[in-house]
Amino acid sequence: MNYAVILAGGTGTRFWPFSRELEPKQFMHVLSNNSLLQNTIIRLSGIIEPENIFIISNKLYLYELKSQIKTLKVPDSNIVLEPDARNTAAAIALAASLILAKDKEAVMLVLPSDHYIRGKKEFSSCIKSAIKCARKDFMVTIGIKPQDASTGYGYIKTAKPLSGLGVKCIKVSKFIEKPAFALAKKYAIDKRFFWNSGIFIWKASVFMEELRKFLPDMYQIFKDVKKIEQVGKKWFSIKPISVDYGIMAFSKKIVLVPADFYWTDLGSWDALTKILPKDACGNVSKADFLGLNCRGVSVFSRSARFISAVGVRDLIIADTPDAILVCNNNNAQDVKKIVDLLKVGRRKECISHITEKRPWGEFTVLQKGIGFKIKLIQIYPKKRLSLQRHTKRAEHWVVVSGCAKVTTSGKAKVVKANNSIYVPIGQKHRLENPGNSVLRVVEVQTGSYLEEDDIERFDDDFKR
Amino acid sequence: MNYAVILAGGTGTRFWPFSRELEPKQFMHVLSNNSLLQNTIIRLSGIIEPENIFIISNKLYLYELKSQIKTLKVPDSNIVLEPDARNTAAAIALAASLILAKDKEAVMLVLPSDHYIRGKKEFSSCIKSAIKCARKDFMVTIGIKPQDASTGYGYIKTAKPLSGLGVKCIKVSKFIEKPAFALAKKYAIDKRFFWNSGIFIWKASVFMEELRKFLPDMYQIFKDVKKIEQVGKKWFSIKPISVDYGIMAFSKKIVLVPADFYWTDLGSWDALTKILPKDACGNVSKADFLGLNCRGVSVFSRSARFISAVGVRDLIIADTPDAILVCNNNNAQDVKKIVDLLKVGRRKECISHITEKRPWGEFTVLQKGIGFKIKLIQIYPKKRLSLQRHTKRAEHWVVVSGCAKVTTSGKAKVVKANNSIYVPIGQKHRLENPGNSVLRVVEVQTGSYLEEDDIERFDDDFKR
């Protein structure tokens, strides 16, 4: 059988302020109604059965992942949560051992979750060719014909085509790190060179064999693993290394199947603007935008704000309710540096959006003032918050849509839309949505201290 | 006696999005804790008594004017509200006739309310010289030595200095409209040319005499006016014309006193950035701003948002809660065009900020959703809203600071901080601040229609 392993633990920083630590790039919806992760799954239809698609990620993203895969038939139990991030070799080794435990002959497809691909049919036939090669015990990588002299990608140097497999496939001679521009220019016009897409196809057993050869310490950890729990504390002894550096650089079994679909890793805002349709002046607008005498300006917004630009060139403007970026197209790679500085400054603008997700729904802080804080809370159908108590704040709840079940001091009460209820300081309380539609509550907190850490939980459906 | 007439009816659009129709430039606080209008008044201390300072404006701005002059000793009764805007000749003629009714020998100083002047001592001595000339029946204008070949100002060509007045003062030969750049370059290096500051000093009687000569129709309207009410409907027959075109272009009595203070009319964002101190890379920040590799970038914010810029040059970024402008320094004059387009589109972003001022205080719409709207309301001490009723919405009020007196169905009730009250659809109600500190109320509206025009007023302290 064929399996897919989607790597979805990344914390991409180059799409800040849209991407945040708690809402990384793979969950972004800039290009379509589906996120990049969702499109990665959808693209596998007809190749891999949904129950054979595994997602390797990080516990921070569990509820977001569950909500994103809900309609895509991938079972929640296929989400594999790493104890922490140890780079791609460990993530793939973990997935390979879990898959091998199910199916000794398994072919596994390894896919990044945050890339952009155009051409579903071409993708499909390329992957099917790669699977054929993998069945012959090759380690297959998908190579992209360079579109320009990019210095943002690793390159793969190929040798001679392999015949007799019935598919187009080329022997790989070398994996090359991101090159300097002078080298990239040479590679881009040399037919032997391809971009490294990070998409790999191999038998789980063949991968484990190569792991044994080139990363024997890691192999020892995973060789008999059938369930993630078996890894235990050994996980934390793993040396983080990418599969490219740890295995692909050394394996003699590698072949390349050239892609005939359009691919970009969407490494920056600039890469995103390249694939979007533009107006006659080269402008892109995904916002309530008015530009006068602008050229090459790309505007993205996650707020309701009106954005205007006058007489500017080659800019990216990315707007969110709490942070805005104005960036020269040529400096899009440096957005990462802004995020690094925000981290140093312990600023929340690099961590989360003003709308924060929770397993039961989400909330948005609308206003903070001296002695008060106003939140809009949305609770999914049939979900409830923990039974909790605050020692420094009282809460007023006005139900604006849906119907709430509110428990205070052990007594439950139904609060309908256009009604309100008061939770005094120190009172145990619980807010629940018993209905079938989203419950929206405006919460006005009053008190001397109004941070999220003033919370004592007594019972929680989500074991927090 | 000496009088001042401050022209404060302008609806400057070039500082959008900071300036809005309901909050024009003269009320802006970008440069100091005081607004441009307040600084105009403060600058007159030692020259004109506060009770002799008149402010000509427009009824839209009455409450803002009152609140801005409160601490400056100018009596509220000195605010003169024009029935509508008829340009400067009519505004000055109205002021001149009112002043003349009080004092036949009055010298009046006419000042724009939205210019920037540095050098209080120099301003003071310049105005005192001008008053001396005006006492000799001259029409005096203050001329600014051109600092560059600006095409944004009118120019004044002077002839020979006048002697015998005991002050430096030059005969004027010609008022020149905003010139083309080629001409402006000539004027800027020719010692005979000055910028027209729009500051004028003359006897009210001499002005009326010149009005009679050059704008006889307007003179007929104002000649016997002692109170604004006497103008009545004749106001609407006035042909709008500036004092420059209507009188200064023709009068033979004009002399110029050269300014030795720094002056700019702050005609655009660009002009503002010129007078602000810059960092080593020429950047200005009046915001929570982080710039990487930026030069000549000026950032202004009225929101709490974090603003970042990467690799950009010569930009103005002006941020407000509902609108943001990114403008090339050289295109700052075109901001007006954005405002014009917003007007055509009937967009509220050209009319008011999300915080709207009212005579009793202000309110901010924090969120709108289907069936609900959340407002933060602030009420000044001892003020109250009208007694009112809504036919399509209910209101929940949570008092977050101060103490409210709430009247519903004729019964008054005190609602303290951390308490709430509910006003059902159709119930007559009134919200009042009986205390000595600001009252802050979070209002959650629920209903099918939530616009400001769903209001029936029964009694109002402000006669709306």
Side-chain angles (χ1 to χ4, degrees):
Chain A
M1 289 254 267
N2 301 322
Y3 296 80
V5 174
I6 298 176
L7 306 173
T11 59
T13 52
R14 291 176 195 198
F15 277 91
W16 185 89
F18 273 41
S19 67
R20 305 279 170 114
E21 191 178 316
L22 295 180
E23 236 181 295
K25 180 184 151 204
Q26 57 268 33
F27 302 129
M28 273 173 53
H29 292 249
V30 183
L31 288 158
S32 74
N33 288 330
N34 297 312
S35 70
L36 293 168
L37 169 70
Q38 288 173 322
N39 280 332
T40 303
I41 296 170
I42 291 164
R43 208 177 289 126
L44 293 173
S45 73
I47 314 175
I48 315 277
E49 294 302 314
E51 62 270 22
N52 286 347
I53 298 176
F54 290 82
I55 300 170
I56 313 283
S57 187
N58 161 333
K59 64 173 190 290
L60 280 178
Y61 308 141
L62 176 62
Y63 296 102
E64 180 68 25
L65 283 167
K66 281 187 180 178
S67 108
Q68 292 218 357
I69 66 177
K70 201 179 283 175
T71 56
L72 300 174
K73 296 182 191 158
V74 177
D76 282 2
S77 56
N78 282 13
I79 298 173
V80 179
L81 300 178
E82 300 175 295
D84 69 2
R86 297 273 149 174
N87 213 330
T88 52
I92 297 167
L94 172 60
S97 54
L98 299 180
I99 289 169
L100 205 54
K102 293 179 168 233
D103 182 350
K104 292 286 160 213
E105 288 303 309
V107 165
M108 61 189 272
L109 172 56
V110 177
L111 298 149
S113 58
D114 60 350
H115 292 179
Y116 172 78
I117 285 170
R118 195 164 49 214
K120 172 141 183 21
K121 225 173 74 183
E122 292 80 1
F123 175 79
S124 216
S125 72
C126 174
I127 297 298
K128 283 174 183 168
S129 298
I131 289 171
K132 277 186 193 165
C133 301
R135 288 259 162 244
K136 305 279 182 195
D137 292 349
F138 287 108
M139 301 273 283
V140 189
T141 177
I142 304 294
I144 313 291
K145 208 58 233 153
Q147 291 140 30
D148 53 47
S150 171
T151 58
Y153 297 131
Y155 285 70
I156 299 171
K157 188 179 177 188
T158 57
K160 286 184 188 153
L162 272 180
S163 57
L165 287 169
V167 295
K168 195 177 176 188
C169 140
I170 320 171
K171 197 86 188 145
V172 165
S173 72
K174 204 170 151 192
F175 273 71
I176 300 158
E177 286 182 55
K178 293 177 185 178
F181 186 61
L183 270 179
K185 274 198 294 187
K186 285 185 193 166
Y187 298 163
I189 55 165
D190 184 330
K191 281 191 188 304
R192 293 171 301 168
F193 288 84
F194 290 83
W195 285 343
N196 180 0
S197 69
I199 304 174
F200 305 114
I201 304 96
W202 45 57
K203 276 190 190 161
S205 59
V206 171
F207 175 82
M208 290 306 283
E209 182 53 28
E210 298 301 276
L211 187 70
R212 189 185 61 75
K213 284 186 215 157
F214 306 117
L215 295 172
D217 293 347
M218 200 183 287
Y219 175 75
Q220 286 305 317
I221 292 171
F222 290 106
K223 62 176 175 164
D224 297 317
V225 164
K226 291 182 170 56
K227 286 184 174 176
I228 186 169
E229 292 74 19
Q230 290 173 274
V231 180
K233 286 192 178 156
K234 283 178 280 178
W235 180 270
F236 299 100
S237 68
I238 294 171
K239 206 181 100 191
I241 188 166
S242 73
V243 73
D244 302 69
Y245 285 112
I247 293 175
M248 306 308 274
F250 307 106
S251 173
K252 302 296 171 207
K253 297 187 175 172
I254 306 176
V255 296
L256 180 144
V257 171
D260 40 11
F261 49 84
Y262 178 90
W263 171 93
T264 163
D265 78 343
L266 285 180
S268 64
W269 281 110
D270 190 35
L272 176 60
T273 66
K274 278 185 188 146
I275 60 172
L276 288 169
K278 289 165 193 67
D279 72 10
C281 298
N283 302 313
V284 172
S285 168
K286 298 270 181 184
D288 181 6
F289 173 67
L290 177 60
L292 285 185
N293 186 18
C294 291
R295 269 187 187 277
V297 174
S298 305
V299 186
F300 304 92
S301 180
R302 278 179 59 133
S303 83
R305 189 169 310 117
F306 172 70
I307 302 175
S308 61
V310 183
V312 294
R313 299 272 175 281
D314 302 325
L315 284 189
I316 292 147
I317 301 174
D319 174 52
T320 68
D322 64 344
I324 185 157
L325 169 73
V326 179
C327 180
N328 191 299
N329 274 336
N330 297 327
N331 298 71
Q333 301 287 342
D334 295 339
V335 170
K336 194 184 175 317
K337 295 181 189 167
I338 294 278
V339 179
D340 291 343
L341 289 164
L342 286 172
K343 274 185 193 157
V344 170
R346 294 171 173 274
R347 295 277 307 234
K348 67 166 192 51
E349 290 88 349
C350 60
I351 309 290
S352 63
H353 282 286
I354 65 158
T355 295
E356 291 195 38
K357 304 212 172 181
R358 291 290 182 268
W360 44 260
E362 59 183 46
F363 69 85
T364 307
V365 176
L366 299 176
Q367 184 89 4
K368 280 186 224 176
I370 294 168
F372 73 96
K373 192 176 190 176
I374 308 169
K375 277 185 185 180
L376 178 62
I377 300 175
Q378 301 205 49
I379 303 159
Y380 300 139
K382 310 294 181 199
K383 298 283 178 191
R384 59 181 182 173
L385 284 70
S386 61
L387 177 65
Q388 56 188 243
R389 183 162 67 186
H390 312 294
T391 60
K392 297 187 183 76
R393 68 173 185 257
E395 294 178 341
H396 295 260
W397 292 335
V398 182
V399 176
V400 295
S401 71
C403 181
K405 185 176 153 194
V406 178
T407 309
T408 49
S409 301
K411 283 178 198 154
K413 194 181 161 184
V414 169
V415 185
K416 289 185 186 165
N418 194 25
N419 285 284
S420 66
I421 191 163
Y422 174 65
V423 182
I425 289 180
Q427 192 171 80
K428 273 195 200 179
H429 59 277
R430 182 166 220 162
L431 180 57
E432 180 173 348
N433 181 1
N436 292 313
S437 60
V438 170
L439 166 65
R440 283 188 190 84
V441 175
V442 176
E443 175 179 277
V444 182
Q445 304 177 356
T446 53
S448 54
Y449 181 83
L450 301 167
E451 298 304 318
E452 292 301 321
D453 58 358
D454 174 21
I455 185 165
E456 196 181 348
R457 289 201 175 97
F458 300 97
D459 178 46
D460 186 15
D461 294 347
F462 311 101
K463 298 181 180 58
R464 290 171 302 175
Chain B
M1 290 252 268
N2 302 322
Y3 296 80
V5 174
I6 299 175
L7 305 173
T11 60
T13 52
R14 291 177 196 199
F15 277 92
W16 184 89
F18 273 41
S19 66
R20 306 278 170 114
E21 191 178 316
L22 294 180
E23 236 181 293
K25 181 184 151 202
Q26 57 268 31
F27 301 129
M28 272 173 55
H29 291 250
V30 183
L31 289 158
S32 73
N33 288 331
N34 297 312
S35 70
L36 293 168
L37 169 71
Q38 287 173 322
N39 279 332
T40 303
I41 296 170
I42 291 165
R43 208 178 288 125
L44 294 172
S45 74
I47 314 175
I48 313 277
E49 295 302 314
E51 63 271 21
N52 287 347
I53 298 175
F54 290 83
I55 300 171
I56 313 283
S57 188
N58 157 338
K59 67 172 188 288
L60 281 179
Y61 308 142
L62 177 62
Y63 296 103
E64 181 67 27
L65 284 167
K66 281 187 179 177
S67 109
Q68 293 219 358
I69 66 177
K70 201 180 283 176
T71 56
L72 299 174
K73 294 182 192 158
V74 177
D76 282 1
S77 56
N78 282 15
I79 298 172
V80 179
L81 300 179
E82 299 175 295
D84 69 2
R86 296 275 150 174
N87 213 330
T88 52
I92 296 167
L94 171 60
S97 55
L98 300 181
I99 289 168
L100 205 55
K102 294 180 167 231
D103 180 350
K104 292 285 161 215
E105 288 303 309
V107 165
M108 63 189 272
L109 171 57
V110 177
L111 300 148
S113 58
D114 60 350
H115 293 178
Y116 172 78
I117 284 170
R118 195 164 48 213
K120 171 140 183 22
K121 225 174 74 185
E122 292 79 2
F123 175 79
S124 216
S125 72
C126 174
I127 296 300
K128 282 173 184 167
S129 298
I131 290 172
K132 278 187 192 164
C133 301
R135 289 258 162 248
K136 304 281 181 195
D137 292 350
F138 286 108
M139 301 272 284
V140 189
T141 178
I142 304 294
I144 313 291
K145 208 59 232 153
Q147 291 140 29
D148 54 45
S150 172
T151 58
Y153 297 130
Y155 285 70
I156 299 170
K157 187 180 179 187
T158 57
K160 285 186 188 153
L162 272 180
S163 56
L165 288 168
V167 294
K168 195 175 175 190
C169 140
I170 320 171
K171 198 85 188 147
V172 165
S173 72
K174 202 169 150 194
F175 273 72
I176 299 157
E177 287 184 54
K178 293 176 185 178
F181 186 60
L183 270 179
K185 275 198 292 188
K186 284 186 193 164
Y187 298 162
I189 53 166
D190 185 329
K191 283 192 187 306
R192 293 172 300 171
F193 287 84
F194 290 83
W195 283 344
N196 179 0
S197 70
I199 304 173
F200 305 114
I201 304 96
W202 45 57
K203 276 189 191 163
S205 59
V206 172
F207 175 82
M208 290 306 283
E209 182 54 25
E210 299 298 278
L211 188 71
R212 190 186 59 77
K213 284 187 215 158
F214 305 116
L215 295 171
D217 293 348
M218 200 183 286
Y219 175 77
Q220 287 305 318
I221 291 172
F222 290 107
K223 63 176 176 165
D224 296 317
V225 165
K226 291 181 169 58
K227 286 183 173 177
I228 186 170
E229 292 74 20
Q230 291 174 272
V231 181
K233 287 193 178 155
K234 283 178 279 178
W235 179 270
F236 300 100
S237 69
I238 294 170
K239 205 181 101 190
I241 189 167
S242 73
V243 71
D244 301 70
Y245 285 110
I247 293 175
M248 305 308 275
F250 306 107
S251 172
K252 302 296 172 207
K253 295 188 174 171
I254 305 176
V255 296
L256 180 145
V257 171
D260 39 12
F261 49 83
Y262 177 89
W263 171 93
T264 163
D265 78 343
L266 285 179
S268 65
W269 281 109
D270 190 36
L272 175 61
T273 66
K274 277 187 188 144
I275 59 172
L276 288 169
K278 287 163 194 68
D279 72 11
C281 297
N283 302 313
V284 172
S285 168
K286 299 270 182 185
D288 181 6
F289 173 67
L290 177 61
L292 285 184
N293 186 20
C294 290
R295 270 187 187 280
V297 174
S298 304
V299 186
F300 303 91
S301 180
R302 275 179 62 131
S303 83
R305 188 170 310 118
F306 173 71
I307 302 173
S308 60
V310 183
V312 293
R313 300 270 174 284
D314 302 324
L315 285 189
I316 292 146
I317 301 174
D319 173 52
T320 68
D322 64 344
I324 185 157
L325 170 73
V326 178
C327 181
N328 191 298
N329 273 336
N330 298 327
N331 297 73
Q333 301 287 341
D334 295 339
V335 169
K336 194 183 176 315
K337 293 182 190 167
I338 294 277
V339 179
D340 292 342
L341 289 165
L342 286 172
K343 273 184 195 157
V344 170
R346 295 172 172 272
R347 296 277 308 232
K348 66 165 194 50
E349 289 87 349
C350 60
I351 309 291
S352 64
H353 284 285
I354 65 158
T355 295
E356 290 196 37
K357 304 212 173 180
R358 290 290 182 269
W360 45 260
E362 59 184 47
F363 68 86
T364 307
V365 176
L366 300 177
Q367 185 89 4
K368 282 186 222 174
I370 295 166
F372 73 97
K373 191 176 190 177
I374 309 168
K375 277 186 183 180
L376 178 62
I377 300 175
Q378 302 205 49
I379 302 158
Y380 301 138
K382 311 293 181 199
K383 298 284 178 191
R384 58 182 184 174
L385 284 70
S386 60
L387 177 65
Q388 55 189 244
R389 183 161 68 183
H390 312 294
T391 59
K392 295 187 185 76
R393 70 173 183 254
E395 294 177 342
H396 295 260
W397 292 335
V398 182
V399 176
V400 293
S401 70
C403 182
K405 186 176 153 194
V406 178
T407 309
T408 48
S409 302
K411 282 178 199 154
K413 193 181 161 184
V414 169
V415 184
K416 289 186 185 164
N418 194 26
N419 284 284
S420 66
I421 192 164
Y422 174 64
V423 182
I425 289 180
Q427 190 170 79
K428 271 196 202 179
H429 60 277
R430 181 165 221 161
L431 180 57
E432 179 173 351
N433 181 1
N436 292 313
S437 59
V438 170
L439 167 64
R440 282 186 190 83
V441 175
V442 177
E443 175 178 277
V444 182
Q445 303 178 356
T446 52
S448 55
Y449 182 84
L450 301 167
E451 298 304 318
E452 293 301 322
D453 58 359
D454 173 21
I455 185 166
E456 196 182 349
R457 289 201 175 97
F458 300 95
D459 178 46
D460 186 14
D461 294 347
F462 311 101
K463 299 179 180 57
R464 291 171 300 174

